[in-house]
């Protein structure tokens, strides 16, 4: 069926809330579209791109001072982005042509990722002398975080989960790596969505343009809430709850969609 305004609002909320949490926004958008019975048309592809840009604008807005005035942070984000840029360019067709259409891979990635989260938290002990400043993250570690992010080419893995867990293993404090993950999302998603736009049509009707605008605004507003929530949450809690959520949602989707 053709997407209506309420479905556009729902997808905007899903994107905004899940883009920066370690639960895979890609998986949630794909699976939400299946549940809502929305046909994957060229407009739908453009809609998904638009709401991703709304979520990214939320990061730019909240971290605008760091993005503009801190060159050392910018350089570290660029270094971390390099592996993703190369890997994404080489495997773009595989990602779009096979992985994005495979519901089994998405569901299993959610489920197994949840199990990994729980096991990780049981065995990992955070060091008191971990890196607590973005500018103190070394360039080699930035590059390794970027390599971790490449795992997110598998829908369901979660870009946020891969970068955050990778950073924690490298000795970076949770709040610090969460913020670095936010900033790394800016070039990663901006370039990816820009490349997608080059490969899709941009001829919209008034109703379609209205849907794009609504989805963009809703995604922006909900992403603001998610970005403010996660650093606060990780200072007081571990990630086991996200692991449990991934297992539950993966199991539900397995029952109803596979």
């Amino acid at each position: 069926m053709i997407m209506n305004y309420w479905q556009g609002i729902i997808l905007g909320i899903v994107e905004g809330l899940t883009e920066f949490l370690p639960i895979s926004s890609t998986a949630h958008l794909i699976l939400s579209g299946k549940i809502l019975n929305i046909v994957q048309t060229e407009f739908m592809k453009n809609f998904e791109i638009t709401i991703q840009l709304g979520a990214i604008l939320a990061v730019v807005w909240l971290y605008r001072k760091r993005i503009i005035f801190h060159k050392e942070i910018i350089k570290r984000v660029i270094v971390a982005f390099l592996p993703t840029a190369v890997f994404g360019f080489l495997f773009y067709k595989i990602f779009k042509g096979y992985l994005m259409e495979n519901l089994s891979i998405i569901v299993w990635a959610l489920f197994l990722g949840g199990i990994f989260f729980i096991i990780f938290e049981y065995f990992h002990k955070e060091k008191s002398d971990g890196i607590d400043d973005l500018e103190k993250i070394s360039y080699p570690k930035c590059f390794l975080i970027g390599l971790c992010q490449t795992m997110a080419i598998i829908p369901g893995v979660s870009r946020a989960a891969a970068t955050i867990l990778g950073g924690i293993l490298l000795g970076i404090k949770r709040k610090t790596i969460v913020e670095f993950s936010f900033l790394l999302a800016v070039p990663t998603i901006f370039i990816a969505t820009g490349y997608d736009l080059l490969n899709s049509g941009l001829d919209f009707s008034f109703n379609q343009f209205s849907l794009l605008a609504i989805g963009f605004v809703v995604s922006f507003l909900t992403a603001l809430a998610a970005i403010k929530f996660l650093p606060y949450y990780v200072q007081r809690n571990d990630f086991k709850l996200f692991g449990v959520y991934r297992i539950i949602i993966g199991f539900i989707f397995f029952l109803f969609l596979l």
Side-chain angles (χ1 to χ4, degrees):
M1 63 181 291
I2 299 174
M3 183 169 56
N4 58 42
Y5 288 108
W6 282 111
Q7 290 170 325
I9 291 172
I10 291 171
L11 292 180
I13 292 172
V14 170
E15 166 61 24
L17 291 179
T18 62
E19 181 61 56
F20 303 105
L21 301 181
I23 54 177
S24 180
S25 63
T26 301
H28 279 73
L29 282 177
I30 292 172
L31 296 172
S32 297
K34 295 289 184 181
I35 291 173
L36 295 171
N37 197 28
I38 300 174
V39 178
Q40 188 67 18
T41 61
E42 284 300 316
F43 171 75
M44 182 59 185
K45 294 177 182 179
N46 284 313
F47 181 83
E48 291 174 350
I49 293 169
T50 300
I51 59 178
Q52 283 184 313
L53 291 175
I56 287 303
L57 180 61
V59 176
V60 174
W61 175 253
L62 290 175
Y63 287 86
R64 58 192 182 279
K65 291 183 179 179
R66 292 193 180 189
I67 292 174
I68 296 173
F69 298 112
H70 291 265
K71 292 183 179 180
E72 291 301 317
I73 294 176
I74 294 174
K75 288 190 289 186
R76 282 161 171 76
V77 170
I78 292 173
V79 170
F81 172 66
L82 291 177
T84 302
V86 174
F87 200 84
F89 178 77
L90 293 175
F91 295 97
Y92 177 83
K93 290 184 178 179
I94 294 175
F95 174 68
K96 287 294 182 181
Y98 176 69
L99 295 178
M100 289 285 285
E101 302 297 327
N102 195 315
L103 288 179
S104 295
I105 289 178
I106 296 170
V107 171
W108 278 109
L110 280 171
F111 187 80
L112 295 176
I115 294 174
F116 181 81
F117 257 121
I118 294 171
I119 294 174
F120 175 86
E121 289 294 4
Y122 270 115
F123 289 97
H124 176 75
K125 301 297 180 183
E126 189 168 9
K127 297 180 180 179
S128 59
D129 60 346
I131 300 170
D132 59 359
D133 190 330
L134 292 173
E135 295 187 34
K136 293 180 181 178
I137 304 175
S138 68
Y139 289 114
K141 287 187 176 181
C142 290
F143 188 82
L144 289 174
I145 293 169
L147 285 178
C148 291
Q149 182 175 248
T150 62
M151 296 175 61
I153 194 172
I154 302 172
V157 168
S158 169
R159 186 201 61 80
T163 55
I164 291 170
L165 289 183
I168 292 173
L169 287 172
L170 291 169
I172 303 171
K173 290 282 191 179
R174 291 170 186 258
K175 182 176 182 293
T176 304
I177 188 56
V178 164
E179 291 184 334
F180 189 79
S181 176
F182 292 160
L183 296 175
L184 181 55
V186 175
T188 301
I189 299 176
F190 185 78
I191 297 297
T193 53
Y195 189 76
D196 280 337
L197 281 174
L198 293 176
N199 292 280
S200 60
L202 296 173
D203 185 19
F204 306 126
S205 66
F206 176 78
N207 285 337
Q208 288 176 326
F209 183 80
S210 299
L211 273 170
L212 293 174
I214 290 171
F216 181 90
V217 172
V218 171
S219 176
F220 171 76
L221 294 176
T222 50
L224 287 176
I227 293 168
K228 290 183 177 181
F229 162 77
L230 191 56
Y232 174 84
Y233 177 86
V234 300
Q235 287 183 299
R236 296 160 178 80
N237 305 276
D238 58 25
F239 289 103
K240 286 197 288 289
L241 184 60
F242 289 113
V244 172
Y245 170 81
R246 290 175 65 113
I247 292 171
I248 293 173
I249 203 73
F251 184 70
I252 291 173
F253 285 133
F254 179 81
L255 289 178
F256 289 97
L257 293 181
L258 296 182

